[in-house]
Amino acid sequence: MTNIIDGNRIAAQIRAEVFREVETLKSKGITPGLTVVIVGENPGSVVYVKNKEKDAKEVGFKSEVIRIPQDTTQEYLLKVIDQLNKDETVHGLLIQLPLPKHIDELKVIEAINPQKDVDGFHPVNVGKVVIGDKRALVSCTPAGVIALLEHENLEIAGKEVVIVGRSNIVGKPLVPLFLQKNATVTVCHSKSQDLRSITKRADILVVAIGKSRFITADYVKPGAVVIDVGINRLDGKLTGDVDFLEAATVASKITPVPGGVGPMTRAMLLKNTIQAAKLQNEVI
Ligand code: GUN
């Protein structure tokens, strides 16, 4: 018996479900389309975008990547977004971040049609998540965290969830998602005092702080479920925010890095594109 949560296995199940949904939508004359826009050639972004294109093609989407030079203007990028908003074959539209410094990221995100916002970053979707609107497009990593727990049949209702990290992309959206599932939720961050005493209360501990192997065994309550959202590079190796070997001796279940939350984030983007295609065709 292993206590490792296999994100690759669960993500593969989700991709298989998406593949079947694509077949159903195609039989109704709808081919889900995902367009990714990348500005410049940030090496990390180039890899992420390549993966997104590959995933989209594998499940049968119409997949397109638009590459724009680093020195483009904000005005030009907004024009591209406007055209894609109007293109009925594009159901999901994602602008890869980070953008060059001379471009206002929030302005760009706000220009995306919220029904095509498969990243779930638009304030309309963020607000819908807060009020528990089922038609919200939920940001992929937090959605992936919840999906992991649900696929493992791990109880969320009534549990004490502690989230370490308060980013707009992970920490903050996890709060309404866990509340919706009737958990008690605490968020900690770099200014929290006596972090260890807080994380030790957690039945479910989610860590998203971007600090390699920061959470050691002494931060974890025996029997807790530990979800590591971190992706760091340490001596050429991918590491999480949790010291896996240590925490695994204390946790009842734990996600590895790589192979935990990462593949789930990729799978949730595909699920969001299906959701977007349905929203735009009033299938839901
Ligand atoms: N850059 C790193 N992660 C992400 C993501 O999830 N979405 C976008 N748009 N850019 C990213």
Side-chain angles (χ1 to χ4, degrees):
M1 243 284 285
T2 169
N3 63 349
I4 299 173
I5 300 175
D6 185 349
N8 282 320
R9 180 182 55 80
I10 301 168
Q13 277 177 26
I14 292 172
R15 285 197 303 274
E17 280 165 29
V18 169
F19 182 84
R20 286 192 292 273
E21 290 228 50
V22 172
E23 297 289 295
T24 307
L25 284 170
K26 281 184 175 169
S27 72
K28 294 178 179 161
I30 304 162
T31 300
L34 174 65
T35 295
V36 176
V37 177
I38 176 168
V39 181
E41 288 172 6
N42 173 306
S45 294
V46 168
V47 174
Y48 282 130
V49 168
K50 212 170 260 168
N51 287 338
K52 286 168 184 169
E53 186 180 23
K54 175 174 167 279
D55 292 346
K57 281 193 173 140
E58 273 176 14
V59 293
F61 290 173
K62 174 176 107 48
S63 168
E64 178 189 30
V65 176
I66 296 177
R67 294 179 177 82
I68 298 177
Q70 174 86 9
D71 62 359
T72 192
T73 62
Q74 179 167 305
E75 193 190 359
Y76 178 75
L77 180 58
L78 292 176
K79 239 181 229 162
V80 171
I81 292 172
D82 184 48
Q83 276 172 10
L84 294 167
N85 279 342
K86 290 175 182 149
D87 184 339
E88 287 184 2
T89 69
V90 176
H91 301 103
L93 170 54
L94 181 153
I95 317 299
Q96 187 66 27
L97 304 177
L99 289 169
K101 295 244 178 315
H102 64 279
I103 296 178
D104 181 341
E105 270 183 12
L106 186 57
K107 266 222 169 89
V108 168
I109 290 167
E110 283 177 343
I112 300 168
N113 174 352
Q115 288 201 338
K116 298 194 178 192
D117 168 39
V118 283
D119 257 331
F121 292 169
H122 192 290
V124 164
N125 283 313
V126 175
K128 283 186 175 181
V129 170
V130 171
I131 62 172
D133 184 335
K134 291 227 166 4
R135 287 163 305 174
L137 286 163
V138 182
S139 167
C140 300
T141 300
V145 168
I146 301 289
L148 264 185
L149 295 168
E150 292 192 326
H151 273 78
E152 288 286 292
N153 292 317
L154 294 165
E155 185 77 33
I156 299 175
K159 298 295 179 192
E160 179 125 9
V161 174
V162 175
I163 301 159
V164 189
R166 56 176 157 182
S167 68
N168 286 339
I169 296 182
V170 185
K172 283 183 199 165
L174 275 173
V175 175
L177 293 176
F178 274 117
L179 281 178
Q180 193 73 29
K181 302 283 176 194
N182 298 311
T184 303
V185 189
T186 303
V187 183
C188 319
H189 45 79
S190 53
K191 299 283 189 292
S192 297
Q193 289 181 8
D194 196 5
L195 182 63
R196 203 168 296 154
S197 73
I198 307 170
T199 59
K200 276 211 110 149
R201 294 206 311 257
D203 301 309
I204 300 171
L205 178 61
V206 184
V207 192
I209 47 172
K211 288 186 184 161
S212 183
R213 295 179 182 158
F214 181 85
I215 296 292
T216 42
D218 52 330
Y219 284 78
V220 181
K221 176 165 104 173
V225 173
V226 178
I227 307 291
D228 188 352
V229 183
I231 302 178
N232 312 289
R233 243 172 227 291
L234 189 70
D235 306 326
K237 247 186 85 174
L238 276 190
T239 61
D241 292 347
V242 175
D243 187 320
F244 179 83
L245 291 177
E246 271 205 17
T249 63
V250 183
S252 63
K253 290 266 176 187
I254 184 166
T255 59
V257 176
V261 175
M264 293 299 291
T265 298
R266 286 171 63 174
M268 298 321 279
L269 177 63
L270 303 174
K271 246 187 123 95
N272 275 355
T273 306
I274 293 283
Q275 162 108 342
K278 287 180 177 174
L279 282 170
Q280 286 153 61
N281 288 281
E282 289 168 1
V283 182
I284 46 174

